[in-house]
Amino acid sequence: MLNENDQSKTWPTRRGVIGKGATATLSVAGLSVLSGGALAMASRKSADENPSNDVGLINTALSLEHEGIAAYQIAAESGLLDNGILQVGVLFQSHHKQHRDELIRAVRTLGGSPVEAKPLNEYANALGADKLKSQADILQLAIGLELGAANAYLGVIPSLADHEYGHLFARLAADEAMHWTALKGAVAESLPESALYFG
Amino acid sequence: MENFILTVAASLALAGAVVEGQNKSPSADAPATVSGDAQRGETLYQRRCGACHSIDQNRIGPKHQNTFGSKAGAVEGFAYSKALKELDVVWNEATLDEWLQNPGAMAPGTRMGFRLTDEQERADIIAYLRQVSEASAAETE
C-alpha cells in the first residue's frame, strides 16, 4: 500500500505520467492512421436498414462516458489531487468528452435520441464518492473504471450490427486502455504478465 | 522510420521492465465440467461488469445485490428497457449463463450488449452473484 505521506517520492509529475503514457498515445494514433483515420460516418446505413438495437447499445456506451466525465469532475473538485495528477485527470476527462461527442453523433446518425447526463450528485452517490479520502482512493477508483470501460467496449463489439460502430468501440477501448496504463504507472503498479488482458 | 523503430523498442523495453504475476486467465486451466469459484468471480465481476454495475447501487445497469432468484427486470428504481421488462425468466445459473453469453439473443432490444464468451469466467461470476444474493438474503432474515 502506498504511503500518502510520501507523495513527493511516489506520485509522478504530470510530465512523468504523460511521458509514460506517450508510447500508448502514439500507438493509438498509429492504429487510427492504419485503420483509416477518421470514422467514415458517411457510409453509415440508414436508420431503417440498421437494427435499432445499435442505438440502444451506443446509448449505453454514452451513459458510461457521462459517468466517466462525472467521475473525473468529482475527482477534480475533491481537493485531494496534487497538481500533476489533477492535470492528467483533466486531460483524460477531455478524452471522455470527445468520446461522448462521437457517441452522440452516432446515436443521432441512427435516428435516435442521445441519453443525457444525470446530475453530478447522482454519480457521486452511485460511485461512493463519500468514501474517497485520499488521492490513492481516487486513483484506484479511476483505474477500476477505466479497466471496466475498456472491457465493456470490447465485450459489446460482437453485439453491434454495424461494423463501423465496432471499429468506433475498439478505438474507444484503446483510449480507455491508454488511461488505465498511465494510471497504473501513477500508482507504481506493475503491468499484466499475460497478454490478452483486456476483453 | 528509424524514429518509429526506436519508439517501438523503447515501448517494449518499458513494458518488459514491469510485469504483474497474478493475472493469468482462469480459463487457462478450466476443467471440462465448469464449476464456479466465487472468490475469482468477485475479481472478474469488477473487471468485466464493473464499468456499468455495482452490487449495491443502480448505475448504468441495475445493482446486483439480490439477483439470484429474482425475476428479470425487477430491481426497484432502475429504468429497464422494454425488452427486460418483458423478459419472463428468473435468474439462476442456467438463465444467467445464457444471458451473459448473448443478452441480445435472450432479450432482443436490450441495452446490454456485453458478451462474456469465456465459460469459466461466466461460471465464476455467477458463483459470486449467488454468494452475494445469499448473503443479502441472510442479512434481511
Side-chain angles (χ1 to χ4, degrees):
Chain A
M1 190 67 187
L2 294 166
N3 182 350
E4 290 175 55
N5 296 323
D6 196 24
Q7 289 185 353
S8 62
K9 295 177 184 174
T10 308
W11 301 110
T13 63
R14 175 175 183 261
R15 185 178 177 185
V17 172
I18 293 176
K20 285 178 183 174
T23 50
T25 308
L26 286 169
S27 298
V28 170
L31 284 172
S32 175
V33 170
L34 289 171
S35 58
L39 287 172
M41 290 297 184
S43 65
R44 182 73 59 246
K45 294 174 185 175
S46 73
D48 289 343
E49 294 171 318
N50 202 81
S52 61
N53 209 35
D54 275 7
V55 177
L57 301 182
I58 295 167
N59 251 333
T60 300
L62 179 55
S63 298
L64 191 64
E65 293 296 342
H66 284 318
E67 187 186 72
I69 291 164
Y72 279 106
Q73 190 64 36
I74 291 163
E77 294 177 4
S78 70
L80 295 170
L81 303 182
D82 69 34
N83 191 52
I85 295 294
L86 175 62
Q87 294 305 312
V88 174
V90 169
L91 174 66
F92 289 177
Q93 187 191 49
S94 78
H95 293 166
H96 287 290
K97 287 178 177 176
Q98 292 170 62
H99 294 171
R100 173 198 63 194
D101 294 344
E102 282 290 342
L103 293 168
I104 287 173
R105 190 174 6 261
V107 169
R108 286 187 174 143
T109 300
L110 289 171
S113 299
V115 65
E116 293 184 3
K118 299 175 186 172
L120 194 62
N121 67 314
E122 288 191 26
Y123 291 114
N125 289 336
L127 294 170
D130 58 326
K131 298 183 184 72
L132 301 172
K133 304 298 183 191
S134 68
Q135 179 169 264
D137 290 344
I138 290 173
L139 286 169
Q140 288 303 333
L141 173 65
I143 287 170
L145 290 176
E146 296 288 5
L147 174 61
N151 285 332
Y153 279 123
L154 294 170
V156 173
I157 289 172
S159 294
L160 291 163
D162 189 326
H163 290 180
E164 287 293 338
Y165 294 123
H167 179 215
L168 172 61
F169 274 40
R171 296 180 72 200
L172 295 168
D175 278 358
E176 313 300 7
M178 171 178 67
H179 296 168
W180 177 85
T181 304
L183 291 167
K184 289 282 276 186
V187 296
E189 289 183 4
S190 54
L191 297 177
E193 184 180 60
S194 301
L196 302 177
Y197 182 76
F198 295 98
Chain B
M1 183 62 184
E2 187 179 0
N3 285 341
F4 174 74
I5 292 169
L6 286 171
T7 301
V8 171
S11 178
L12 289 172
L14 175 65
V18 280
V19 293
E20 184 175 320
Q22 301 298 322
N23 285 295
K24 288 182 179 175
S25 166
S27 64
D29 302 308
T33 303
V34 173
S35 66
D37 179 305
Q39 191 173 358
R40 219 163 39 199
E42 182 173 8
T43 302
L44 286 167
Y45 178 83
Q46 296 304 327
R47 288 186 188 171
R48 304 290 187 240
C49 316
C52 298
H53 293 279
S54 299
I55 294 299
D56 58 359
Q57 294 286 340
N58 288 330
R59 291 172 52 212
I60 294 148
K63 62 186 174 185
H64 285 149
Q65 202 157 31
N66 301 294
T67 298
F68 243 84
S70 300
K71 186 191 171 302
V75 172
E76 192 176 338
F78 187 78
Y80 286 96
S81 65
K82 186 170 178 284
L84 257 290
K85 286 177 186 169
E86 294 177 352
L87 181 61
D88 187 21
V89 304
V90 171
W91 295 125
N92 55 35
E93 275 93 351
T95 54
L96 280 169
D97 189 62
E98 182 182 352
W99 172 256
L100 290 171
Q101 283 184 64
N102 187 351
M106 195 171 182
T110 176
R111 294 193 299 263
M112 175 170 157
F114 179 82
R115 299 186 192 184
L116 191 55
T117 55
D118 189 300
E119 186 180 16
Q120 182 65 63
E121 290 195 359
R122 287 198 307 275
D124 291 341
I125 288 171
I126 291 167
Y128 171 62
L129 291 175
R130 177 172 199 142
Q131 184 183 72
V132 166
S133 296
E134 288 174 352
S136 178
E139 277 183 17
T140 55
E141 282 176 2

